[in-house]
Amino acid sequence: MSYFRAVDPFPLESPEQTRLAAFYAGLADGRLTTTRCTGCDRTAWPPRLFCPECGADGVEWVDLPREGTVHGFTVQETGLPAGFPAPRVFAIVTVGGHRIFTVLLDADPARVAVGQPVRFVPLAIDPDSKGNPRWLPAFTPSA
Amino acid sequence: MRKVALVGAGVSKFGVRKASYRDLIWEAGKACFDAVPGVKPRDVEGLVVGSVMPERTAFQSHISSLAAEALGIRPGALSARTEHMCASGTVGIRYAYAFIAAGLADLVMVLGVEKLNQPSGDEAILNMGTGVDREWEAAFGLTAPPCFALAAQRHMAEYGTTEEQLALVGVKNHTHASKNPNAHFGKGATLDQVLCSRMISTPLRLFMCSPITDGAAAVVLASEDRARDLTDRPVWIRGTGQALDGFQLTSLHEDYAHWPALRRAAGAAYRMAGVTAADVDVAEVHDCFAIAELIAYEELGFCAKGEAGPFVAAGRSDYGGDVVVNPRGGLIGCGHPLGATGVAQAAEIFVQLRNEAGARQVPDAALGLTHNNSGMGEHVVMLYGREAA
Ligand SMILES: [Zn+2]
């Protein structure tokens, strides 16, 4: 694994490494957040540093709902990158009017369906090279 | 703008090659120079090299200069590398075209090269994650197959496209590849073989997917005067278009069976050439996965939206049909050495329009199209025409 860490496929999430660190700090707290433009009130997904719609330079962090529905999905059975176990359910979920790309955890691949309700769960991943914990926004079937 | 033509083309053998990154450059460059005897390496004024991930696979940057030195080219007008994921090769051809059309060069080589099967199979797949958004997509383990699988799921749900229709793209392209000595695969495939091959990402099975391939391809572009000096059968660039809808999956059209960027790119190319889809005799389309070829039929205008499944099933994209799609075997049969693919597509159209394609010749091919994409949200289309008789 130390060899593959040369290709660390995960985001750098700490405040020293990214200006989106607040998003990742939210995941660690069990919150799904994103940015809202203070100029035009549009909410973005994923979060971003400035609004390309109106060009205003201010954004603020807001919470997204924890519940969503499956917009589309596929089950990858083979050919996954090194370090990612199969089968893996990749999905686009609709949350608060945004489409979010994610993986469905603890989902029976045979029972996933478009329109299925899902809820947000933070997914712990490998720490970075300095030992900082890291998280990704994952989802799981609600029922 | 000045007219620009292809005057030479060559490809390496594609496959899991016992050959280095530089070996592949040598093979394609030599084959290309052999095809245009009037051009010596020192005559070439510019070189553009399409290559996606040599930093990861060959541990090498500064690619265009490396290739120029390997081939004996000393660029005086243009030297550049294009990295644009799977469309890198065609993006390189567009740069060379623009330079020549603008009068900044008269003779430019475009070479595409990729050595993907290195340093290991596991890592080759991991490397593919660099082509999607690392922070919001690749971190979850995403590579290309699930992206296109989402499109396939949607196309099946919306239009009734079947697994068998997807499989027929694999059958056609593996069969075409069996007539191409440079293809990755040479044995063809039956419908049963495709439908029984292992599942990659539902509903896409192995033989509906392009493999991880090493290979290179090269073409030489010339201004009108130089082209007429070099050959009596130049292949003219008639039109070109490129369009981007979005990079991340969640930025694309919410219905993944619709690829508006391809429609825009094709429209620009058709308008520039003054032709329509019905005029195209032979097309090299980006069948990285079978669903991509089906959606390309629709967005390129070969058939109506939603009718690609019946179109392939009726043989309308094969020899004897409306348009022959992927005569060299496509990405599924020929392989997909990323940066080389777009250049290899152009090389195939070059031999087809010169009636030099041998066992896979499309009869009387006069207008050829190439379609190269970088994910579902970005597309590049070129139109090529032979000299009027
Ligand atoms: Zn705004």
Side-chain angles (χ1 to χ4, degrees):
Chain A
M1 198 61 197
S2 59
Y3 177 68
F4 285 114
R5 283 297 291 277
V7 202
D8 180 4
F10 299 122
L12 301 174
E13 302 184 353
S14 75
E16 292 74 33
Q17 294 163 315
T18 175
R19 293 179 63 191
L20 298 181
F23 171 78
Y24 294 107
L27 295 184
D29 282 345
R31 290 164 52 226
L32 181 63
T33 61
T34 193
T35 50
R36 181 167 64 200
C37 173
T38 54
C40 70
D41 271 351
R42 284 188 181 88
T43 305
W45 179 265
R48 54 193 309 155
L49 291 184
F50 90 97
C51 171
E53 302 294 337
C54 74
D57 55 7
V59 294
E60 59 188 359
W61 289 95
V62 294
D63 283 343
L64 284 171
R66 304 174 60 87
E67 307 290 330
T69 55
V70 175
H71 175 79
F73 72 97
T74 179
V75 183
Q76 187 163 11
E77 297 184 4
T78 60
L80 280 144
F84 294 88
R88 197 160 180 85
V89 183
F90 293 103
I92 308 285
V93 299
T94 306
V95 176
H98 295 285
R99 276 178 291 151
I100 296 179
F101 174 77
T102 189
V103 287
L104 298 187
L105 305 177
D106 302 318
D108 177 354
R111 299 188 59 187
V112 179
V114 171
Q116 179 175 9
V118 292
R119 65 181 165 79
F120 161 70
V121 282
L123 169 63
I125 51 173
D126 288 351
D128 71 15
S129 61
K130 296 186 169 62
N132 296 311
R134 293 192 286 188
W135 305 84
L136 293 177
F139 285 76
T140 192
S142 301
Chain B
M1 289 202 304
R2 304 197 300 171
K3 288 177 70 176
V4 180
L6 298 181
V7 296
V11 297
S12 78
K13 167 72 179 157
F14 280 20
V16 181
R17 291 293 314 279
K18 292 174 179 166
S20 73
Y21 189 76
R22 195 191 329 256
D23 292 339
L24 297 168
I25 292 169
W26 272 327
E27 288 183 24
K30 177 68 164 65
C32 186
F33 282 122
D34 286 350
V36 53
V39 173
K40 298 286 175 258
R42 64 178 172 275
D43 302 328
V44 177
E45 301 164 351
L47 176 66
V48 181
V49 179
S51 198
V52 174
M53 49 184 69
E55 288 85 352
R56 289 288 314 128
T57 58
F59 215 80
Q60 181 71 60
S61 304
H62 206 174
I63 298 309
S64 185
S65 304
L66 179 151
E69 185 162 282
L71 298 176
I73 297 170
R74 293 190 177 183
L78 169 64
S79 179
R81 167 186 172 192
T82 52
E83 189 288 293
H84 208 75
M85 203 52 198
C86 306
S88 298
T90 309
V91 170
I93 290 172
R94 282 168 58 84
Y95 282 0
Y97 167 74
F99 250 71
I100 295 170
L104 296 173
D106 286 308
L107 198 66
V108 177
M109 175 178 276
V110 180
L111 184 141
V113 55
E114 215 74 52
K115 174 67 190 176
L116 290 179
N117 288 283
Q118 192 169 274
S120 73
D122 271 358
E123 199 160 347
I125 293 176
L126 188 66
N127 290 341
M128 292 298 175
T130 62
V132 296
D133 193 296
R134 161 179 154 135
E135 186 164 31
W136 302 106
E137 299 177 329
F140 295 86
L142 183 69
T143 54
C147 301
F148 288 85
L150 282 165
Q153 298 266 11
R154 181 68 196 187
H155 206 275
M156 294 167 90
E158 192 166 352
Y159 301 116
T161 303
T162 65
E163 280 188 55
E164 181 168 320
Q165 289 164 343
L166 287 168
L168 286 169
V169 174
V171 172
K172 173 176 72 68
N173 293 351
H174 274 281
T175 303
H176 289 180
S178 70
K179 293 178 182 166
N180 177 358
N182 290 315
H184 189 138
F185 298 118
K187 295 179 179 169
T190 65
L191 184 59
D192 272 357
Q193 280 177 306
V194 178
L195 285 171
C196 295
S197 60
R198 71 179 156 88
M199 184 61 75
I200 301 295
S201 197
T202 56
L204 300 175
R205 295 179 180 276
L206 182 66
F207 279 31
M208 303 173 189
C209 304
S210 52
I212 292 178
T213 301
D214 308 326
V219 293
V220 174
L221 283 71
S223 60
E224 181 170 14
D225 288 351
R226 287 304 303 274
R228 294 200 188 283
D229 287 345
L230 290 166
T231 177
D232 55 2
R233 284 174 301 156
V235 169
W236 302 102
I237 293 179
R238 297 275 310 272
T240 177
Q242 178 175 5
L244 167 77
D245 275 341
F247 174 52
Q248 295 171 12
L249 276 174
T250 54
S251 306
L252 308 184
H253 193 298
E254 66 176 5
D255 179 343
Y256 296 108
H258 285 75
W259 294 357
L262 177 49
R263 193 159 291 237
R264 282 160 57 208
Y270 290 142
R271 276 192 301 279
M272 183 173 168
V275 301
T276 70
D279 298 317
V280 177
D281 300 304
V282 54
E284 285 283 316
V285 314
H286 195 100
D287 60 325
C288 48
F289 301 92
I291 185 61
E293 179 164 324
L294 293 185
I295 295 177
Y297 297 162
E298 299 168 356
E299 304 295 2
L300 289 168
F302 296 157
C303 67
K305 192 70 207 170
E307 292 179 5
F311 189 81
V312 70
R316 293 176 65 185
S317 53
D318 208 339
Y319 292 88
D322 301 20
V323 53
V324 181
V325 177
N326 287 330
R328 78 188 169 102
L331 285 59
I332 288 175
C334 219
H336 184 22
L338 314 177
T341 285
V343 184
Q345 291 177 323
E348 178 68 12
I349 295 299
F350 179 75
V351 294
Q352 289 286 349
L353 299 192
R354 285 162 57 102
N355 200 28
E356 294 172 344
R360 56 180 198 277
Q361 180 65 46
V362 175
D364 202 32
L367 185 70
L369 177 150
T370 67
H371 157 235
N372 204 189
N373 70 34
S374 301
M376 298 193 289
E378 181 152 34
H379 300 266
V380 192
V381 174
M382 301 289 297
L383 284 165
Y384 297 94
R386 71 179 180 197
E387 191 80 86

